[in-house]
Amino acid sequence: MRDFFKGLRMFGQGLGILLSKPRLLLIGALPAIITTALLIGGLVTLFFSLDELAALITPFADTWSEGARNVLRIAASVVLFASGLMLGSFLFSALTLAIGGPFYETIAEKVEDDLGGVPDAVDLGFFTLLGLGIADTFRLLLRSLLFTVPLFFAGFIPVFGQFVVPVLIALVTSWFLALELIGVPFYRRGMALKERRDLLRKRRMLGFGLGLPAALLCMIPILGIIVMPVAFVGGVLVARELLGLSSTAPARA
């Protein structure tokens, strides 16, 4: 659990760094504001469509007694909305990082300069960074479906589906979110998704420590505006930890 608490601490350090540099906080909030507006609209639409969607995916319950049918469809609604929140949380980070690529590269550069810099950093243009972000997001989305689709159907299991599945969904979301959050520091070093995934697998709990609070807090859309840049700076610190670099500023003469 030491790595888990270290990840939590680095998430908290991200807040401290941004509070000491309000300009970076404003830069990081801009793409999150755009993404939040888009996702709130999607979640509101989903919420008001739950009854119809639950009936659509459970047509076999039409002939059941009213009580049994209502219980099943309430459970289906819970699973649908939980899945929407999970997907929204993942898409929030993906869309925010895609939209705000140049913004977050600026933040990463400023943060890492204070920590000793990145020798021979790769100069990433706007379209290069956007392309890398979209490609990696697509790959991570496909991988996440390997977990989320079985969890969706497991959500129909009484008790297990209402209590255990949401916990598993949160863990899956936090893992893929952590992979997103540490992306830019690896891009700046010319390192691909596979390399950062392999490094994070060796210290999974560090990733959960970063991704879990970010995933849970990002489920509150308005709060996500602040959480996203904070989590990103925490991701810079986690990336440096995975690469064996210091996450504290060097002493100045």
Side-chain angles (χ1 to χ4, degrees):
M1 295 299 292
R2 184 179 301 170
D3 265 354
F4 179 78
F5 288 111
K6 180 175 284 189
L8 284 176
R9 187 171 70 251
M10 289 180 171
F11 178 82
Q13 285 178 301
L15 177 61
I17 290 172
L18 288 181
L19 288 178
S20 67
K21 300 177 184 293
R23 180 173 172 272
L24 294 184
L25 180 58
L26 290 174
I27 291 173
L30 289 175
I33 290 171
I34 298 171
T35 306
T36 297
L38 295 173
L39 292 181
I40 286 178
L43 286 174
V44 168
T45 301
L46 174 63
F47 179 79
F48 286 106
S49 304
L50 284 176
D51 290 342
E52 293 80 3
L53 291 174
L56 183 65
I57 64 175
T58 58
F60 52 86
D62 289 342
T63 58
W64 293 9
S65 66
E66 183 179 356
R69 183 171 63 249
N70 288 340
V71 169
L72 176 65
R73 288 181 174 168
I74 289 172
S77 296
V78 171
V79 173
L80 282 170
F81 196 69
S83 300
L85 285 174
M86 182 213 64
L87 182 61
S89 178
F90 179 75
L91 288 178
F92 179 83
S93 65
L95 289 173
T96 303
L97 289 172
I99 294 170
F103 298 92
Y104 289 122
E105 185 185 11
T106 298
I107 294 174
E109 182 178 352
K110 298 295 185 184
V111 171
E112 292 209 85
D113 281 349
D114 288 345
L115 300 176
V118 180
D120 302 320
V122 177
D123 185 16
L124 297 171
F126 174 84
F127 291 106
T128 299
L129 191 59
L130 181 62
L132 287 170
I134 291 174
D136 285 352
T137 295
F138 181 71
R139 295 189 188 101
L140 290 173
L141 180 61
L142 290 180
R143 289 178 179 274
S144 71
L145 290 176
L146 297 176
F147 299 92
T148 56
V149 171
L151 285 174
F152 173 81
F153 289 104
F156 291 99
I157 302 173
V159 181
F160 179 84
Q162 285 70 59
F163 294 97
V164 179
V165 169
V167 174
L168 295 178
I169 286 175
L171 292 175
V172 170
T173 303
S174 66
W175 171 256
F176 287 101
L177 179 55
L179 282 171
E180 286 277 354
L181 291 170
I182 65 175
V184 172
F186 280 86
Y187 292 149
R188 298 185 70 225
R189 292 168 171 84
M191 302 174 73
L193 171 62
K194 183 181 184 302
E195 293 169 289
R196 73 176 188 259
R197 186 176 64 237
D198 291 343
L199 284 174
L200 193 60
R201 277 177 177 169
K202 296 176 182 178
R203 302 183 65 176
R204 293 179 186 272
M205 296 308 292
L206 187 64
F208 285 127
L210 171 68
L212 189 58
L216 294 177
L217 291 173
C218 281
M219 289 182 180
I220 307 171
I222 300 301
L223 192 58
I225 293 172
I226 302 299
V227 171
M228 193 60 199
V230 169
F232 175 79
V233 175
V236 173
L237 302 180
V238 167
R240 291 181 65 86
E241 175 74 17
L242 294 173
L243 294 165
L245 302 172
S246 174
S247 58
T248 57
R252 297 184 181 277

